[in-house]
Amino acid sequence: MNLLFFASEPTTRRDFLTGMAGLTAANLLSSRVFAKKQTKDKLGIALVGLGYYSTDLLAPALQKTQHCYLAGIVTGTPAKAELWKKKYNIPDKNIYNYQNFDQIANNPDIDIVYVVLPPSMHKEYTVRAAKAGKHVFCEKPMAMSVKECEEMIKACRDNKRSLSIGYRCQHDPNTQAYMKIAKEKPMGKVKLIHSSAGYNEGRTDHWKQKKEMGGGVMYDMGVYALQGARLAAGEEPILVTASHLTNRPEIYKNVDETTMFQLHFPSGAVANCTTSFGINTNFLKVNYEKGSLFMEPATAYSGNKGYSTLGEINFPLDSQQARQMDDDALAIINNKPMLVPGEEGLRDIRVVEAIYQAARTGKAVRLG
């Protein structure tokens, strides 16, 4: 797909672009209940689940963070525990399994529990971590249902702990750039959005292919396509339509391989979205009243960039995960709102539920 280039705008363009990378939590999301101000200047994180994302992305990112560090791990595999212990010099007292997890309450080294498990386990370990007095970072999707999301938010609020969802892209200044455009409307109202996120998943016996574990593309890559549309619109959808397509029914027996969905927004904007485990795709295109925006890639781990009528969007970032965890740790230290609180994860799951209902019934579903 070709990038679109545009003629220079008036001098305000430079001023507009200069501030794109500096969005803060205060002007993005509302406040919530917070715990007493932390006295530490660097918080200890325990990773729960040591699969690919923890191993290849979060643990390396924690070697770059300034406000948090890898303090502990939770795993059901003794061999992994021994490997991580040696590689990251983790003391035995900071290594847990799923049976003794609740004893983490007695460990002052660990301030934050980062839940990096299949979606079906997110609610359980978020609630248990909050009851153990720990702040919680939880990977996307937040949970399997709206009800589970609400229970997670309540558990953290009741225990005066912060809850953040691992939407790394919202910490990326390239994403913040088009969020700023949605908020300030320098090109007028959004008219049409195309948002797409997918890759060719070669595994055949992973939790992503198992409904009971939170499988299905809409729960995984789907939230990226959904987030792209929601953040670019700057508002919440009020109606959805959707359909599923499966080209490998022998693998995707009871979950979706590809989902196409359309979102209608209160302003009249419409978003056409695609997410897939069988198609390599990663872009965002927005048509405004007086201009356009195109991002490709839009939600990659690095290198997200694009152009709009206002000019280039390209703010290199060494590690989204390091920025995400530092932002969230600093919010806890300073008793500030999370950039991406549990309520944001809940908003997505509410739409995901509606998308599945629309695909199942073949009818448009209205959102409150």
Side-chain angles (χ1 to χ4, degrees):
M1 189 172 293
N2 294 326
L3 293 177
L4 301 180
F5 295 86
F6 301 90
S8 297
E9 291 293 304
T11 55
T12 55
R13 177 184 113 181
R14 182 182 299 275
D15 296 333
F16 181 82
L17 289 174
T18 299
M20 282 184 173
L23 293 180
T24 63
N27 60 17
L28 285 173
L29 295 167
S30 60
S31 298
R32 46 162 301 166
V33 178
F34 296 97
K36 184 178 179 180
K37 182 178 174 66
Q38 295 285 328
T39 56
K40 295 182 179 180
D41 58 5
K42 200 167 187 179
L43 304 183
I45 292 180
L47 296 177
V48 185
L50 305 183
Y52 159 75
Y53 196 69
S54 286
T55 301
D56 289 10
L57 292 158
L58 293 178
L62 281 163
Q63 311 313 303
K64 303 176 181 179
T65 47
Q66 299 179 33
H67 305 293
C68 53
Y69 68 99
L70 178 60
I73 54 174
V74 181
T75 179
T77 307
K80 285 186 180 180
E82 189 63 24
L83 180 66
W84 280 63
K85 172 186 172 179
K86 293 178 179 178
K87 184 173 182 178
Y88 294 109
N89 196 29
I90 300 172
D92 287 333
K93 66 184 182 68
N94 291 0
I95 298 175
Y96 297 86
N97 57 46
Y98 299 111
Q99 287 69 48
N100 65 12
F101 172 81
D102 300 303
Q103 294 175 21
I104 208 167
N106 304 315
N107 193 331
D109 292 350
I110 295 169
D111 305 286
I112 300 163
V113 165
Y114 197 148
V115 180
V116 200
L117 295 165
S120 59
M121 303 172 75
H122 286 186
K123 188 203 82 170
E124 177 186 351
Y125 281 89
T126 294
V127 171
R128 288 171 68 177
K131 288 182 177 179
K134 306 302 178 182
H135 302 286
V136 183
F137 299 167
C138 180
E139 259 311 302
K140 62 84 192 163
M142 181 175 175
M144 299 280 287
S145 67
V146 166
K147 182 176 183 294
E148 287 189 350
C149 292
E150 291 172 340
E151 290 174 5
M152 293 161 70
I153 292 169
K154 183 177 187 300
C156 290
R157 181 182 294 123
D158 288 350
N159 289 280
K160 295 183 171 57
R161 299 293 93 184
S162 296
L163 171 61
S164 179
I165 309 305
Y167 285 125
R168 56 186 168 77
C169 288
Q170 289 202 35
H171 298 263
D172 188 326
N174 297 284
T175 299
Q176 293 175 349
Y178 68 76
M179 292 174 66
K180 184 178 177 69
I181 291 173
K183 181 179 180 180
E184 299 186 358
K185 298 180 174 56
M187 293 181 280
K189 291 183 179 180
V190 174
K191 305 298 289 184
L192 180 64
I193 300 168
H194 288 87
S195 182
S196 188
Y199 71 100
N200 189 17
E201 174 57 77
R203 291 170 292 190
T204 61
D205 190 31
H206 190 261
W207 65 259
K208 294 183 180 185
Q209 286 94 36
K210 299 175 182 179
K211 186 175 182 179
E212 66 276 10
M213 296 182 72
V217 72
M218 196 61 227
Y219 276 115
D220 188 54
M221 298 306 292
V223 294
Y224 288 119
L226 173 56
Q227 281 262 312
R230 286 182 51 246
L231 301 181
E235 55 183 342
E236 299 303 315
I238 56 174
L239 182 142
V240 304
T241 59
S243 61
H244 298 316
L245 171 67
T246 299
N247 288 323
R248 295 176 288 176
E250 71 280 6
I251 299 172
Y252 295 92
K253 299 173 184 177
N254 61 358
V255 295
D256 49 318
E257 180 182 9
T258 297
T259 296
M260 294 156 285
F261 57 99
Q262 188 178 72
L263 309 175
H264 296 255
F265 295 92
S267 65
V270 176
N272 294 309
C273 306
T274 301
T275 185
S276 180
F277 280 147
I279 303 169
N280 291 315
T281 181
N282 191 331
F283 72 89
L284 174 72
K285 187 177 187 300
V286 188
N287 291 99
Y288 306 90
E289 290 177 307
K290 297 177 287 185
S292 301
L293 174 145
F294 183 74
M295 304 284 297
E296 189 176 33
T299 58
Y301 288 144
S302 63
N304 296 325
K305 60 184 178 179
Y307 293 84
S308 82
T309 301
L310 302 172
E312 183 180 26
I313 298 172
N314 187 5
F315 301 99
L317 182 62
D318 178 52
S319 170
Q320 291 173 341
Q321 289 81 7
R323 173 73 65 87
Q324 168 201 328
M325 291 187 285
D326 262 344
D327 284 350
D328 290 343
L330 197 58
I332 293 170
I333 290 168
N334 293 327
N335 197 26
K336 299 293 185 182
M338 286 292 187
L339 183 68
V340 190
E343 288 79 2
E344 175 72 349
L346 169 61
R347 282 188 279 270
D348 273 345
I349 296 303
R350 183 172 285 118
V351 181
V352 168
E353 285 191 344
I355 288 168
Y356 276 123
Q357 181 183 345
R360 184 175 64 253
T361 63
K363 298 178 181 179
V365 175
R366 288 199 169 273
L367 292 157

